[in-house]
Amino acid sequence: MKVIQTVADFRLVQREYPRSLGLVPTMGYLHEGHLSLVRRCREDNATAVASIFVNPTQFGPSEDLSTYPRDMEGDLAKLEAEGVDLVFAPDVSEMYQEGFDTTIDVGDIARRLEGEHRPGHFQGVATVVCKLLTIVRPDNVYFGQKDAQQCLVIKRLNADLDLGAEVIVLPTVRDPDGLAMSSRNAYLSDGDHEAALSLYRSLRLAESLYSEGVRDGDAMRREMLALLESEPSATVEYVSIADAVTLVELKSLDRPSLISMAVRIGRVRLIDNVVLGA
Ligand code: PAF
């Protein structure tokens, strides 16, 4: 496995590797969710690439950039064990050179939900993913459904700017108790972990209401909120019941619907989602 830190080196080295080439973009601190993407990337492609880059432009000023968990050595060992061929792990100064002054602004789909609560977040994501796709030029690129809106934003970006990758979205990987895997789970104390299960429970509740025939979006949201708000350390940012393609809020779940939420457990902000009626 080769670890490459500069754009110029990546461009040179990448030519020696056979196609198809798959990329798993990550911010490191890898868990089973990332590794499920890496395994699929390995299976699908002659060359498997992962990137590790904690992208400062997708963090807001009051967010957790400085404390974001990192473990480069552990990450490289995991990627090596999965048979990854190339790792692109640039420094911030390599990705954002002196004078850097371009931002990619995806429209409507990026303004909703996370976009509303984390201003600038998707501009940062879209800009760095555009750069990664341009540098690595993958045939296939892999993302997790846990970041459902990110997947939609990246599909829009990839289509609109003709970046030429196949965007492959794989299911959310959960702990045995249901908590969606996330690098940010590292911040959770044992008590917080228990409280964080309320996200999963509220999604299960939505699933069971749906299977009982409930289609009223407001009624479903109310029940989910009641469950979440009964957890003393949970602060709900939003619970959304939206069209799974456009993210427009739905009165009635009469089409594939993305049920998603952002909840703070203490100071840790968690998101999770499920698609109903697909
Ligand atoms: O999902 C992530 O880890 C990041 O948002 C991504 C796609 C690697 C861009 O920095």
Side-chain angles (χ1 to χ4, degrees), residues 25-27 53 55 58 125 128-129 143 147 150 154:
T26 82
M27 299 207 298
F53 180 64
N55 173 36
Q58 70 187 76
V125 169
V128 82
V129 170
F143 296 94
D147 298 305
Q150 171 171 280
I154 289 167

Side-chain angles (χ1 to χ4, degrees), residues 36-47:
S36 74
L37 305 180
V38 169
R39 284 177 200 130
R40 175 68 184 275
C41 174
R42 178 67 288 171
E43 269 168 42
D44 287 355
N45 298 282
T47 300

Side-chain angles (χ1 to χ4, degrees), residues 203-240:
L203 292 174
R204 295 298 303 272
L205 173 63
E207 279 172 337
S208 67
L209 291 169
Y210 189 83
S211 68
E212 287 162 18
V214 174
R215 295 292 181 275
D216 179 335
D218 288 339
M220 186 176 279
R221 190 184 297 102
R222 260 197 314 277
E223 297 237 14
M224 292 175 72
L225 277 170
L227 187 153
L228 288 164
E229 285 165 356
S230 71
E231 174 51 59
S233 48
T235 311
V236 179
E237 267 188 26
Y238 65 83
V239 170
S240 160

Side-chain angles (χ1 to χ4, degrees), residues 14-32:
Q14 172 266 120
R15 288 189 206 142
E16 296 157 16
Y17 284 76
R19 293 273 162 174
S20 65
L21 186 151
L23 169 67
V24 181
T26 82
M27 299 207 298
Y29 212 72
L30 303 178
H31 51 64
E32 275 300 311

